[in-house]
Amino acid sequence: MKKIRTPYLIVMFLILYLPILYLVFYSFNAGTTMKGFAGFSFKHYGELWQDTRLIDIVFETGIVALLSSLLATIIGTLGALAIFRVHRGAVKGALLSLNNVLLVSPDVIIGAAFLILFTTFKFSLGFVTVLLAHVAFSIPIVVLMVLPRLQEMNPDLVLAAQDLGARPTQVLGQVTIPAITPGIVAGFFMALTYSLDDFAVTFFVTGNGFSTLAVEIYSRARQGVSLEINALSALIFLFSLVIAVAYYFINRLNQRQKAPELREKVK
Amino acid sequence: MVEKMPILEFSKVALSFGDTEVLKEIDLVLESGKFYTLLGPSGSGKSTILKLISGQLQADAGKIFFEGQVINDVPAEKRRVNTVFQNYSLFPNMNVFDNVAFGPRLKKMSEKDIQDKVKEMLGLVKLSGFERREISELSGGQQQRVAIARALANDPEVLLLDEPLSALDYKLRKELQQELRNIQKRLGITFVFVTHDQEEALAMSDWIFVMHDGLIQQNGTPEDIYDEPINHFVADFIGETNIVPGIMKHDYLVHFVGKDFENVDAGMRPNERVEVVLRPEDLDLTDPANGKLVVTIQDQLFRGDYYEITAVDDDMNTWQVQATNPATVGARVGLTFDPEDIHIMRYNESEAAFDARLESYEDEEAEAALQAAKDDQSQSGGQG
């Protein structure tokens, strides 16, 4: 098995990363198409820098992602706390299922549903509608990340805090929230990536010139992808890589705090 | 003299979870400054009593008094009791100092007072200098010490301890038993300790409540409970025991395993069917001719400070004997014991009736002893 495992993993990751690397490679092409490499050049990065519309969209995408995941984290965490406190098993199960249905239902349906909702109530499509839609589809993700943390938490911690004289809000702020913080952080980052990634829902509910990166790249790609998009993709890929590496180190730090024996060994 | 008001009192307290009666009409009185133990197997309702005192649970019926005031409706955070939990339940996001300071901070004590309080409490549990340690860096025993310090930092009138030592190894448990006892004596507050370990209960307590099936089976000093168990359950639960059926022919004469024996119990109907208790350490091995019973040694275990011998008599009753010297497996030996080693238990006797009966004939005995002493004195006086 071991003989097969290593080559298997190498081939698997190569296939997964090849398209992206191909894209990144051509971002340095001196030519204007992906048909043949005409020489190394940064000119597409230069074009990107000049393209203020695209840069604006990058920022707007980021703002929508940050705001929506922040709001979703707050609402979702409170929701998880509420579901956790439901004592009747059947009700709890039903609530969880309702939550999960939203996670698995196709984006197209959610997008269409929001479009109908917003037009019914005469919302003008744009930043606000995109933000609201992103908050809505991110909440179930946060609930799903936070709830297991609550279930893992030693319930006696709450009793201990009450026993020492803490009122419910003090228990929540000083004991419960710190105990589930890793879940909240994970939920926030999951919501962030879902929002950054989203195409289908945004495509339905955007308008008035407001656009996110996914929608913009899609509309540009219909006229043939310019290598400027390659350059942008390369930058975003680099950014993701940095985030992933940072996440790995943060995780390792947390693990070490949990297991000091491990830290002793590392020393 | 004014009688001291009990710090805690249960009057006909009952609690059910659905169809399960967890507590059935519990009455108990706790005096201030004593070490009480609730002893019983799991599911006996002992932890439930603790939760009723702390306010985690509400009684279905009955009243709970704290210093004479009914506290049934007082929320947990307003009661002057604190709990040490079985699994320590320290706040993992705080270090030792912040854990102990949790209660004082909620009370809005000044930072200087909090510092002093934490220092004092950590000193009490012998963890001075551990303030900056993270909880995850502590051993189980140290964590339990922090938990004790954290609960005591709130200056409770009553400290509740819910099987606090059961997760620790034997040696550490012994050590902490001693320390808990010392802390209780030093602070002079009331401890209510829950355990299923009878040895622990006997070693630490001023007063023990033996619980079974949601009822207090017996309460008394460790000596009372060990020497004079009220029923089969208590006798069996507290220590090793030999229990055989018998007949109380009349006061001070009991019949079991086919023979009559003199004993020191009284106050029963003539020829009443009873249970006879003989503790393994009260039985001595001798040669068959001198034995009150003749048994065959079946098995023997070395326990370090004694041999645990299992023997069978001719009626196939099993007898546990603790002996300092080894015996030979298969040998026929005699068993001897003194009349005062025999303890008699009536079937279905209530605790009140049991206490009253014991008192009645113990008084008689005391009077008899007094009379005998007087006679003795007058005799010797006459001779002199």
Side-chain angles (χ1 to χ4, degrees):
Chain A
M1 275 313 279
K2 210 174 172 185
K3 267 187 186 165
I4 309 171
R5 195 174 65 200
T6 316
Y8 172 79
L9 287 174
I10 290 172
V11 171
M12 189 183 82
F13 277 105
L14 212 63
I15 291 172
L16 288 175
Y17 273 83
L18 213 56
I20 298 171
L21 293 177
Y22 183 77
L23 200 86
V24 172
F25 175 71
Y26 273 101
S27 72
F28 298 109
N29 193 1
T32 51
T33 64
M34 287 206 267
K35 290 174 193 132
F37 196 72
F40 186 84
S41 147
F42 276 118
K43 79 172 194 191
H44 300 298
Y45 289 86
E47 284 166 22
L48 179 66
W49 188 244
Q50 301 296 319
D51 190 344
T52 49
R53 175 176 160 81
L54 200 60
I55 290 170
D56 280 351
I57 287 173
V58 168
F59 275 107
E60 278 164 1
T61 308
I63 286 167
V64 166
L66 277 172
L67 263 181
S68 71
S69 45
L70 199 68
L71 287 170
T73 303
I74 294 166
I75 300 170
T77 302
L78 293 175
L81 283 165
I83 293 176
F84 180 66
R85 281 177 199 187
V86 173
H87 287 293
R88 286 188 45 200
V91 178
K92 200 177 209 166
L95 286 169
L96 265 179
S97 301
L98 285 175
N99 185 66
N100 293 345
V101 164
L102 285 179
L103 269 181
V104 295
S105 49
D107 282 357
V108 186
I109 293 177
I110 293 178
F114 274 114
L115 179 62
I116 295 164
L117 179 80
F118 290 141
T119 46
T120 310
F121 289 99
K122 307 257 180 320
F123 271 62
S124 71
L125 298 179
F127 173 76
V128 175
T129 50
V130 171
L131 181 69
L132 286 177
H134 280 216
V135 169
F137 74 67
S138 297
I139 289 171
I141 302 163
V142 175
V143 171
L144 202 74
M145 302 302 280
V146 172
L147 207 53
R149 285 288 174 166
L150 282 167
Q151 272 148 357
E152 278 168 26
M153 193 178 108
N154 171 7
D156 280 355
L157 288 182
V158 173
L159 295 179
Q162 281 169 352
D163 188 84
L164 293 166
R167 292 190 308 275
T169 48
Q170 291 170 319
V171 175
L172 187 69
Q174 295 182 37
V175 177
T176 309
I177 297 289
I180 61 172
T181 297
I184 296 174
V185 171
F188 173 80
F189 279 106
M190 282 292 277
L192 197 71
T193 52
Y194 267 70
S195 171
L196 285 171
D197 272 2
D198 181 72
F199 168 73
V201 177
T202 314
F203 188 67
F204 275 97
V205 298
T206 193
N208 280 340
F210 181 79
S211 185
T212 66
L213 204 54
V215 175
E216 178 70 11
I217 290 177
Y218 170 77
S219 57
R220 286 191 186 193
R222 284 193 304 186
Q223 294 130 31
V225 179
S226 91
L227 292 187
E228 193 188 320
I229 298 299
N230 287 39
L232 180 63
S233 305
L235 289 177
I236 291 173
F237 178 66
L238 189 72
F239 180 70
S240 309
L241 212 64
V242 169
I243 295 274
V245 170
Y247 184 75
Y248 168 78
F249 279 107
I250 289 169
N251 234 358
R252 221 173 64 160
L253 209 73
N254 280 343
Q255 299 263 302
R256 274 199 222 169
Q257 268 173 7
K258 270 190 201 159
E261 318 83 71
L262 209 75
R263 177 163 44 188
E264 297 300 311
K265 274 180 203 157
V266 172
K267 272 180 193 168
Chain B
M1 210 175 87
V2 185
E3 203 180 317
K4 215 170 160 191
M5 189 197 289
I7 186 145
L8 251 170
E9 203 176 337
F10 275 43
S11 166
K12 295 194 173 16
V13 171
L15 181 66
S16 302
F17 293 143
D19 293 336
T20 337
E21 278 188 291
V22 189
L23 291 180
K24 313 166 185 164
E25 291 229 333
I26 295 289
D27 286 307
L28 56 81
V29 177
L30 305 186
E31 284 169 30
S32 171
K34 285 198 172 162
F35 198 118
Y36 291 95
T37 297
L38 300 170
L39 173 65
S42 54
S44 59
K46 55 193 193 307
S47 294
T48 310
I49 292 189
L50 225 56
K51 286 175 183 157
L52 285 169
I53 298 174
S54 71
Q56 284 171 40
L57 289 174
Q58 305 299 322
D60 292 339
K63 288 197 171 92
I64 301 169
F65 299 90
F66 189 86
E67 291 178 332
Q69 307 284 317
V70 178
I71 54 158
N72 288 46
D73 298 326
V74 176
E77 66 263 27
K78 297 228 171 85
R79 297 192 185 186
R80 299 206 57 194
V81 294
N82 287 108
T83 310
V84 177
F85 292 83
Q86 180 176 9
N87 55 18
Y88 322 138
S89 298
L90 297 171
F91 306 124
N93 54 310
M94 303 175 196
N95 64 17
V96 170
F97 182 93
D98 292 335
N99 262 281
V100 180
F102 191 86
R105 276 190 182 140
L106 289 174
K107 284 190 190 160
K108 305 260 184 295
M109 276 168 68
S110 75
E111 202 54 39
K112 170 84 176 62
D113 289 348
I114 291 172
Q115 298 252 344
D116 293 347
K117 190 88 212 168
V118 173
K119 204 172 165 154
E120 184 196 337
M121 289 303 137
L122 288 180
L124 197 64
V125 297
K126 300 189 179 160
L127 280 182
S128 297
F130 279 66
E131 284 86 346
R132 299 286 149 225
R133 296 281 187 98
E134 293 300 326
I135 298 306
S136 53
E137 293 172 326
L138 303 180
S139 68
Q142 289 168 338
Q143 289 191 28
Q144 194 54 287
R145 284 166 197 267
V146 177
I148 293 164
R150 183 181 66 176
L152 287 172
N154 253 22
D155 293 325
E157 299 272 347
V158 178
L159 186 72
L160 309 173
L161 302 110
D162 190 0
E163 308 220 16
L165 309 180
S166 57
L168 304 174
D169 65 55
Y170 182 76
K171 226 181 143 202
L172 207 56
R173 202 158 68 223
K174 286 260 174 188
E175 203 178 301
L176 270 166
Q177 283 171 10
Q178 189 69 47
E179 274 183 45
L180 270 177
R181 189 69 176 126
N182 292 343
I183 290 171
Q184 189 269 331
K185 279 190 181 144
R186 177 117 67 101
L187 297 177
I189 64 172
T190 313
F191 275 35
V192 184
F193 188 90
V194 161
T195 183
H196 60 262
D197 182 344
Q198 45 98 9
E199 207 181 309
E200 196 163 272
L202 293 174
M204 298 171 80
S205 325
D206 289 318
W207 199 263
I208 297 175
F209 293 88
V210 184
M211 304 259 331
H212 182 51
D213 269 349
L215 284 170
I216 293 171
Q217 302 286 325
Q218 185 173 12
N219 76 97
T221 64
E223 291 84 358
D224 284 350
I225 299 222
Y226 188 84
D227 292 337
E228 279 157 358
I230 186 169
N231 58 26
H232 195 112
F233 173 80
V234 176
D236 197 37
F237 194 71
I238 314 281
E240 297 286 321
T241 327
N242 298 297
I243 305 176
V244 290
I247 291 169
M248 198 68 190
K249 289 201 157 168
H250 51 75
D251 285 0
Y252 310 119
L253 188 74
V254 63
H255 178 90
F256 61 92
V257 292
K259 287 182 187 168
D260 289 345
F261 297 96
E262 260 184 62
N263 70 340
V264 295
D265 289 82
M268 281 152 271
R269 295 189 306 276
N271 293 320
E272 183 175 330
R273 292 167 52 76
V274 293
E275 285 183 295
V276 178
V277 178
L278 276 163
R279 293 282 183 193
E281 68 272 20
D282 291 335
L283 298 175
D284 296 314
L285 296 181
T286 178
D287 52 84
N290 292 331
K292 293 187 174 179
L293 290 170
V294 178
V295 296
T296 309
I297 307 271
Q298 204 176 39
D299 200 8
Q300 165 168 273
L301 280 175
F302 181 54
R303 289 284 189 182
D305 41 357
Y306 64 89
Y307 288 89
E308 187 179 295
I309 296 164
T310 311
V312 179
D313 66 20
D314 297 337
D315 294 335
M316 296 314 282
N317 291 309
T318 307
W319 294 91
Q320 298 284 344
V321 183
Q322 287 175 10
T324 38
N325 298 316
T328 321
V329 172
R332 278 185 73 72
V333 296
L335 284 185
T336 66
F337 44 86
D338 296 326
E340 52 269 25
D341 295 334
I342 302 174
H343 171 66
I344 303 295
M345 302 186 302
R346 303 174 82 181
Y347 288 99
N348 301 319
E349 189 171 35
S350 77
E351 212 185 343
F354 174 79
D355 288 341
R357 180 169 62 80
L358 248 57
E359 216 162 277
S360 72
Y361 74 79
E362 270 168 6
D363 280 357
E364 259 173 51
E365 275 168 18
E367 267 168 40
L370 207 68
Q371 196 57 46
K374 269 187 195 161
D375 291 353
D376 221 37
Q377 216 167 28
S378 60
Q379 259 180 17
S380 60
Q383 277 171 353

